[in-house]
Amino acid sequence: MDRMRKLLKVYELLGGEEDIVNPTNELIKEGHILKLSNKNGTTQDRYLILFNDRLLYCVPKLRLIGQKYGVRARIDVDGMELKETSSVAASRTFLVSGKQRSLELQARTEEEKNDWIQAIQATIQRHEQTMDSFRHLTCSLRDEESTPPHSPVTPGLRAEDTHLLSLMLREVSFTTDTLNENICLENITKHTVKN
């Protein structure tokens, strides 16, 4: 319940701009950050919101009521890369890159920088582990489909496999790059639970 309250709070913060209130979403970290300008090297105050499947880069809105931030960019965790970029001219910086956008960000303190880096790295690793496990399961499903009828391997999923698969399906961000949802659903419905 606390998880949904956090999501609702962020949803209101964004004025309902982003569809985030979903049982599969988990708020990992949020907070102020500085964005380095490529043009002149100045910094601008921004707000980052990290979920289990995306990073939202937000700008302040000048309104007295309601929405406080607008989403300027979204970087999906799938395909996200993180790199420390500190230099003498700009310390405490790091680069977050996605498939379509890169952001060079600066933390106010070294501790804040380390916290963001650890949170983003952990989120990327967790996503990669989930995707690897899911790929392993879908390969197992394909192997079972290709098993000859006289084989000692019994087709079908065990109850534990079905439960694990359903949990993983909730965690995986379905995109056309990573998964064809129709094929996955066909595979699941073809198999029966064996007790």
Side-chain angles (χ1 to χ4, degrees):
M1 208 49 168
D2 188 43
R3 185 174 173 169
M4 288 305 281
R5 260 190 237 122
K6 288 178 181 179
L7 291 175
L8 284 169
K9 179 185 160 240
V10 172
Y11 182 76
E12 290 173 9
L13 191 71
L14 300 175
E17 270 187 32
E18 190 77 16
D19 183 24
I20 58 168
V21 182
N22 182 320
T24 62
N25 285 348
E26 180 183 354
L27 176 64
I28 307 295
K29 183 173 176 55
E30 64 177 308
H32 290 274
I33 197 85
L34 297 172
K35 164 72 169 82
L36 288 176
S37 172
N38 289 336
K39 295 175 185 170
N40 56 16
T42 62
T43 58
Q44 303 146 348
D45 187 40
R46 298 294 184 250
Y47 200 77
L48 283 185
I49 306 169
L50 178 64
F51 294 95
N52 57 315
D53 65 342
R54 70 191 105 170
L55 177 71
L56 299 180
Y57 166 71
C58 306
V59 295
K61 292 265 183 165
L62 300 175
R63 295 189 179 170
L64 297 175
I65 302 172
Q67 181 180 1
K68 295 179 182 172
Y69 294 97
V71 177
R72 175 70 57 92
R74 172 189 171 146
I75 300 177
D76 291 331
V77 172
D78 186 34
M80 183 185 287
E81 294 180 10
L82 179 68
K83 180 180 170 186
E84 284 192 60
T85 58
S86 290
S87 67
V88 176
S91 61
R92 305 175 312 277
T93 60
F94 56 97
L95 182 71
V96 180
S97 301
K99 293 176 181 176
Q100 297 159 351
R101 176 89 191 243
S102 292
L103 300 168
E104 188 167 12
L105 304 169
Q106 183 178 36
R108 289 176 173 85
T109 66
E110 195 65 33
E111 181 182 355
E112 182 180 80
K113 173 189 160 189
N114 292 335
D115 288 348
W116 274 111
I117 288 174
Q118 287 173 357
I120 293 169
Q121 282 177 335
T123 303
I124 292 170
Q125 288 171 350
R126 182 174 161 198
H127 178 77
E128 288 172 353
Q129 288 169 348
T130 301
M131 291 303 294
D132 287 345
S133 297
F134 187 78
R135 280 187 210 104
H136 176 71
L137 267 177
T138 55
C139 287
S140 296
L141 289 173
R142 284 188 203 120
D143 290 346
E144 284 182 8
E145 285 179 349
S146 63
T147 303
H150 59 279
S151 171
V153 177
T154 307
L157 293 173
R158 298 177 311 189
E160 302 92 299
D161 293 337
T162 304
H163 178 69
L164 179 60
L165 182 59
S166 69
L167 290 174
M168 290 171 61
L169 285 171
R170 288 185 212 145
E171 291 293 323
V172 174
S173 171
F174 293 108
T175 65
T176 54
D177 294 336
T178 59
L179 181 65
N180 182 330
E181 186 174 343
N182 293 332
I183 292 171
C184 179
L185 290 174
E186 284 177 23
N187 286 339
I188 292 171
T189 56
K190 285 181 185 176
H191 293 85
T192 57
V193 176
K194 296 253 179 190
N195 291 328

